[in-house]
Amino acid sequence: MSKEALKDLLIEELQDAYSSETQILEALPAMADAASSPQLKQAFQTHLPETDGQVKRLEQIFQILQADPAGNTCEATQGLIEEAEEIMDQGLSPEVLDVALIMAAQKVEHYEIASYGSLRTLAETCGMTDVAKLLDETLSEEKATDEKLTQLAEGEVNQRAFKAA
């Protein structure tokens, strides 16, 4: 595979990440509204400006690469968001809905962690250290969000749902 083909692949996958983040920006307010746990609601609300920052960071990367962020729809994120919307429409008890929202959000986070880890590695391989550094910042944020969701599930949300059942 030529260096140009690797750069093209990187750009295509970055476009996918950009699409993913913009979809998440649209979905997070509804997830925050649906959450009954104040801590979970706050976690979603906190992730909103963080996600906006990730979009801006991706736009910075596209400027560095002199590429357009548009042109690709992340079907994986689209599907995960559709699943979350279905969950919110099921009429679950608030406690069980919180558990389901965490699960839905962690599916998205795990997808993003895989994406950003791969993108960072490819950027490093291509000698794009400035791009790799920006991607690593986002990767760290996604890992921290996933950890926070795990702590919420283990520390409060799952037990509250279990007791309410």
Side-chain angles (χ1 to χ4, degrees):
M1 191 176 244
S2 70
K3 289 180 183 178
E4 195 60 36
L6 282 176
K7 183 180 176 186
D8 290 346
L9 176 62
L10 178 65
I11 290 170
E12 182 179 322
E13 292 300 319
L14 285 165
Q15 289 171 333
D16 195 69
Y18 185 80
S19 170
S20 178
E21 295 294 1
T22 56
Q23 290 178 57
I24 293 164
L25 271 178
E26 291 179 25
L28 276 171
M31 293 177 77
D33 287 345
S36 67
S37 160
Q39 293 87 351
L40 180 57
K41 189 177 291 285
Q42 181 61 44
F44 288 141
Q45 291 168 341
T46 299
H47 197 53
L48 191 59
E50 189 173 81
T51 302
D52 187 55
Q54 293 166 352
V55 168
K56 287 177 175 43
R57 198 175 294 131
L58 284 166
E59 289 169 348
Q60 184 181 352
I61 290 169
F62 282 107
Q63 286 179 347
I64 292 168
L65 298 176
Q66 299 177 346
D68 185 357
N72 198 356
T73 298
C74 182
E75 294 178 18
T77 298
Q78 189 173 11
L80 291 170
I81 289 172
E82 286 172 5
E83 281 185 24
E85 290 168 347
E86 288 173 12
I87 288 167
M88 289 186 281
D89 291 339
Q90 287 181 353
L92 299 172
S93 71
E95 298 84 4
V96 173
L97 178 57
D98 284 349
V99 172
L101 286 170
I102 288 175
M103 293 174 74
Q106 284 195 291
K107 287 178 185 180
V108 172
E109 292 306 317
H110 292 185
Y111 176 76
E112 289 181 303
I113 290 166
S115 296
Y116 284 112
S118 298
L119 285 166
R120 182 202 58 207
T121 300
L122 181 54
E124 288 171 349
T125 300
C126 293
M128 300 175 187
T129 54
D130 49 349
V131 171
K133 183 181 177 198
L134 291 167
L135 292 167
D136 194 53
E137 287 179 46
T138 299
L139 178 60
S140 294
E141 291 172 355
E142 300 297 5
K143 287 179 177 179
T145 298
D146 180 55
E147 182 58 34
K148 185 173 189 172
L149 290 168
T150 296
Q151 290 171 358
L152 281 172
E154 292 175 349
E156 175 218 347
V157 173
N158 289 0
Q159 283 300 317
R160 193 168 61 101
F162 185 76
K163 288 177 183 173

